[in-house]
Amino acid sequence: MLTAAAVLLPTALVAGCADTGPTDVDDLCSAYKHFRSEYTRPHPFSNKGVFDSLKDLGDVASRYTGSDAVKAAGPRLKKMGESDQVNMLEVEMTTAPISAECHKP
């Protein structure tokens, strides 16, 4: 049992540190697409997927190097993801720069 914990702990630490560097447009749009899929599907029992994807999107946006507006939205999105309810209008307004960035021609 102790051996398994010794093997899993370093793996978990490495996995947890992997997402700390700058992000690019592919990372941002992938996180945005995942959030949109969670946000638009029905959640009869739990909205956990929506809140988790908001936190993830906020994290990626906070580390985005391509737009100051996207980077500024990151902390707000993370805060929304950590709450227990979400205002749809606020979400749409906060994700607008991300949507624009991901839908550039």
Side-chain angles (χ1 to χ4, degrees), residues 36-82:
R36 294 303 303 179
S37 72
E38 286 292 329
Y39 186 62
T40 57
R41 73 183 183 94
H43 294 86
F45 301 110
S46 170
N47 289 336
K48 184 174 177 357
V50 174
F51 291 104
D52 288 346
S53 65
L54 260 177
K55 283 191 286 190
D56 292 343
L57 179 58
D59 179 55
V60 171
S62 295
R63 297 180 289 115
Y64 185 61
T65 58
S67 162
D68 289 340
V70 169
K71 193 170 191 159
R76 291 192 307 263
L77 292 169
K78 282 198 272 188
K79 187 174 181 178
M80 285 182 217
E82 292 168 354

Side-chain angles (χ1 to χ4, degrees), residues 6-102:
V7 171
L8 292 176
L9 184 59
T11 304
L13 289 175
V14 169
C17 296
D19 294 331
T20 59
T23 58
D24 62 17
V25 72
D26 292 334
D27 298 327
L28 179 70
C29 295
S30 176
Y32 180 67
K33 182 178 178 181
H34 177 70
F35 161 71
R36 294 303 303 179
S37 72
E38 286 292 329
Y39 186 62
T40 57
R41 73 183 183 94
H43 294 86
F45 301 110
S46 170
N47 289 336
K48 184 174 177 357
V50 174
F51 291 104
D52 288 346
S53 65
L54 260 177
K55 283 191 286 190
D56 292 343
L57 179 58
D59 179 55
V60 171
S62 295
R63 297 180 289 115
Y64 185 61
T65 58
S67 162
D68 289 340
V70 169
K71 193 170 191 159
R76 291 192 307 263
L77 292 169
K78 282 198 272 188
K79 187 174 181 178
M80 285 182 217
E82 292 168 354
S83 70
D84 60 355
Q85 57 182 308
V86 97
N87 177 312
M88 292 173 63
L89 181 59
E90 184 180 8
V91 169
E92 293 300 326
M93 291 176 60
T94 306
T95 59
I98 297 169
S99 177
E101 193 76 8
C102 291

